[in-house]
């Protein structure tokens, strides 16, 4: 019997919520992940242990719909980067909203998504180590419907793929990667990329599927536009050389969360190649957005007119101490919240009586220890021991990895689901 993504998620939802998942089971009433909505627990009313990171359902639903609508309107596909949440439940929601596939950065990540039955994975990275190559060969042999794409940027990489996959039941689809000088992986010139593409096309065990690049390593719009124009020209050059002959489609992929509009503008306009072009965005952080970094750089609501993405992640901790005037110690730290780009942004306070009020810039996180946040408190702002402080975060990629199970809450902070992560 075929095992589907839905079947695997049913197994996930049957998992008991117990002491393994910090933040849960404070009430002592056992439940499975699938039963949490029935419990009507409230994340801020003592039903969960603090600190806690929550996902706001209304923001998730809004962001899913907004990105899906944007892609449909511009005729591009989306293979969202699964490394951000590493959560099959969220991947299913993205696929149900119209995503073409799921992107992974490592074979370990791809293995998680395959375990849950995802049928198309774009590995946005080079594939060279023996264990990873064996896994890909085995997966392609085990499932004739599995669509797998990966990147190459060197003749050596092509040779390793060819040697390892020579006995594979069918070839993987390969994208030639173009890169920016001084940055990450990728060929540094069109000539180098063409030589790599010719090596792939000449291999009896590989299929040249298209080209790929990642513009998100640059913060300069002019550099981004030049790079995307170069990527487009590379696809045209390779097609003109007959390297895509016989292909049903040509895949051109780029697009993080900061410059997806530039990808659509430059790669999404009309093509005249020997086969239809499928433009694939790989944005991942759009799903939860954030309150600081992506709020600054996202094109939605700024360069893309109309709706903005909404922050879906919030971190909550209790005020543990007011040891001196102007200072509070709050119970979350580096083990609980991301801090690689920005410190958390206090936004809400909940009093012991249950009153929610806005911070309005009166609180500032100035430092994090492992389990404590040092918070500067304006003189006129009332903040008591036991009050709860809710913060927006920066960089969702380093938020999810700290929480194996995150409660999904409605706008009243009632738990309506929970998302299991696999890092």
């Amino acid at each position: 019997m075929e095992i589907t993504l839905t079947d695997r998620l049913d197994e996930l939802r049957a998992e008991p919520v117990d002491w393994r998942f910090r933040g849960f089971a404070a009430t002592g009433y056992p439940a499975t992940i699938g039963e949490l909505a029935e419990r009507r627990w409230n994340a801020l009313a003592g039903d969960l242990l603090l600190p806690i990171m929550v996902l706001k359902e209304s923001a998730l639903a809004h962001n899913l719909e907004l990105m899906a609508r944007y892609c449909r309107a511009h005729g591009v596909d989306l293979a969202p980067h699964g490394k951000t949440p590493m959560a099959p439940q969220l991947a299913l929601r993205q696929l149900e909203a119209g995503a073409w596939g799921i992107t992974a950065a490592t074979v370990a990540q791809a293995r998680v998504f395959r375990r849950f039955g995802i049928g198309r994975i774009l590995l946005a990275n080079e594939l060279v180590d023996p264990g990873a190559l064996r896994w890909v060969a085995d997966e392609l042999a085990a499932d004739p419907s599995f669509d797998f794409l990966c990147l190459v940027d060197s003749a050596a990489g092509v040779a390793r793929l060819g040697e390892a996959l020579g006995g594979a039941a069918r070839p993987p689809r390969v994208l030639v990667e173009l890169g920016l000088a001084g940055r990450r992986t990728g060929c540094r010139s069109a000539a180098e990329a063409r030589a790599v593409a010719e090596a792939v096309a000449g291999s009896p065990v590989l299929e040249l599927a298209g080209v790929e690049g990642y513009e998100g390593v640059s913060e300069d719009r002019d550099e981004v536009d030049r790079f995307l124009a170069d990527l487009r020209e590379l696809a045209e050059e390779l097609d003109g050389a007959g390297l895509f002959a016989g292909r049903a489609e040509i895949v051109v992929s780029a697009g993080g969360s900061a410059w997806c509009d530039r990808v659509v503008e430059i790669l999404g306009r009309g093509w005249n190649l020997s086969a239809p072009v499928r433009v694939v965005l790989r944005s991942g952080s759009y799903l939860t957005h954030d309150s600081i970094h992506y709020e600054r750089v996202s094109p939605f609501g700024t360069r893309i007119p109309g709706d903005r993405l909404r922050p879906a992640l919030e971190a909550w901790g209790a005020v543990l101490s007011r040891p001196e005037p102007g200072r509070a110690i709050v119970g979350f730290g580096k083990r609980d919240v991301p801090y690689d780009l920005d410190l958390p942004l206090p936004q809400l306070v909940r009093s012991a009586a249950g009153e929610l009020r806005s911070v309005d810039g009166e609180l500032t996180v100035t430092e994090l220890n492992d389990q404590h946040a040092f918070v500067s408190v304006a003189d006129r702002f009332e903040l008591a021991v036991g009050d709860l402080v809710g913060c927006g975060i920066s960089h969702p990629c380093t938020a999810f990895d700290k929480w194996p199970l995150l409660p999904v809450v409605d706008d009243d902070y009632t738990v309506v689901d929970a998302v299991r992560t696999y890092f």
Side-chain angles (χ1 to χ4, degrees):
M1 183 178 68
E2 181 184 2
I3 302 299
T4 67
L5 177 56
T6 301
D7 294 329
R8 294 301 191 197
L9 289 178
D10 287 343
E11 294 178 16
L12 182 158
R13 294 187 180 102
E15 188 172 3
V17 178
D18 56 24
W19 56 268
R20 295 170 300 157
F21 302 115
R22 60 195 183 104
F24 284 89
T27 62
Y29 297 110
T32 65
I33 292 174
E35 294 168 343
L36 285 176
E38 302 171 10
R39 301 296 193 222
R40 305 300 294 170
W41 290 344
N42 190 282
L44 306 184
D47 296 325
L48 303 183
L49 295 171
L50 297 177
I52 195 73
M53 183 85 73
V54 301
L55 279 165
K56 303 291 288 290
E57 170 58 30
S58 59
L60 280 175
H62 170 82
N63 295 345
L64 277 165
E65 193 278 331
L66 178 57
M67 179 59 91
R69 174 161 35 97
Y70 178 73
C71 290
R72 287 194 304 270
H74 293 280
V76 300
D77 285 291
L78 178 66
H81 217 317
K83 72 177 175 63
T84 300
M86 285 305 298
Q89 292 155 281
L90 296 179
L92 175 59
R93 292 184 66 169
Q94 290 171 310
L95 291 168
E96 289 175 338
W100 177 73
I102 297 294
T103 295
T106 68
V107 164
Q109 293 169 5
R111 187 173 63 171
V112 170
F113 295 121
R114 281 299 289 160
R115 174 63 176 76
F116 284 86
I118 289 175
R120 178 178 289 116
I121 295 175
L122 194 167
L123 184 75
N125 214 342
E126 276 59 30
L127 181 60
V128 298
D129 64 280
L133 287 161
R134 283 195 301 272
W135 180 86
V136 170
D138 290 345
E139 285 297 306
L140 290 170
D143 184 355
S145 68
F146 177 39
D147 188 14
F148 178 79
L149 301 91
C150 66
L151 312 184
V152 289
D153 70 354
S154 67
V158 174
R160 291 185 72 86
L161 277 174
E163 291 167 6
L165 300 176
R170 55 196 171 83
R173 294 207 283 166
V174 178
L175 305 176
V176 174
E177 182 173 29
L178 189 67
L180 282 164
R183 305 297 173 86
R184 294 190 338 198
T185 51
C187 301
R188 296 314 198 227
S189 70
E192 183 182 348
R194 176 165 177 168
V196 172
E198 289 171 345
V200 175
S203 169
V205 297
L206 302 176
E207 177 185 329
L208 180 64
V211 298
E212 181 275 348
Y214 177 56
E215 78 297 335
V217 292
S218 176
E219 298 180 357
D220 181 85
R221 174 171 169 163
D222 290 340
E223 183 179 45
V224 166
D225 284 0
R226 288 193 298 272
F227 174 71
L228 293 172
D230 289 344
L231 188 64
R232 184 182 180 98
E233 289 176 10
L234 175 62
E236 294 169 342
E237 178 183 343
L238 299 184
D239 187 62
L243 298 181
F244 295 127
R247 298 290 178 257
E249 67 176 15
I250 299 167
V251 176
V252 179
S253 179
S257 295
W259 297 109
C260 58
D261 61 319
R262 304 311 304 151
V263 175
V264 167
E265 171 65 25
I266 295 170
L267 301 182
R269 60 178 183 259
W271 293 79
N272 186 24
L273 302 188
S274 62
V277 173
R278 183 184 299 276
V279 176
V280 179
L281 296 177
R282 303 192 307 277
S283 310
S285 294
Y286 81 90
L287 180 62
T288 62
H289 198 48
D290 70 17
S291 298
I292 308 173
H293 175 70
Y294 283 106
E295 178 65 13
R296 287 194 298 256
V297 304
S298 172
F300 284 94
T302 54
R303 300 190 305 269
I304 300 174
D307 286 347
R308 300 181 71 91
L309 295 169
R310 300 175 188 170
L313 285 162
E314 288 181 3
W316 285 85
V319 177
L320 305 178
S321 176
R322 292 296 315 271
E324 56 199 54
R327 168 162 289 188
I329 306 301
V330 176
F332 60 74
K334 293 179 180 179
R335 302 291 181 94
D336 314 301
V337 295
Y339 57 92
D340 55 318
L341 295 183
D342 306 277
L343 295 176
L345 177 67
Q347 295 177 315
L348 294 168
V349 167
R350 186 184 190 273
S351 70
E355 176 193 1
L356 274 175
R357 55 196 169 100
S358 175
V359 166
D360 292 329
E362 302 293 320
L363 303 181
T364 304
V365 176
T366 59
E367 183 183 349
L368 293 177
N369 288 165
D370 282 355
Q371 309 290 174
H372 297 93
F374 295 76
V375 178
S376 173
V377 184
D379 291 341
R380 61 184 175 275
F381 193 82
E382 295 183 6
L383 188 67
V385 169
D387 286 351
L388 308 186
V389 178
C391 295
I393 60 93
S394 188
H395 201 195
C397 289
T398 52
F400 279 96
D401 64 327
K402 295 172 172 57
W403 295 91
L405 189 66
L406 288 94
V408 181
V409 300
D410 65 17
D411 290 343
D412 293 324
Y413 294 92
T414 298
V415 177
V416 297
D417 198 0
V419 165
R420 183 76 159 91
T421 67
Y422 296 88
F423 285 93

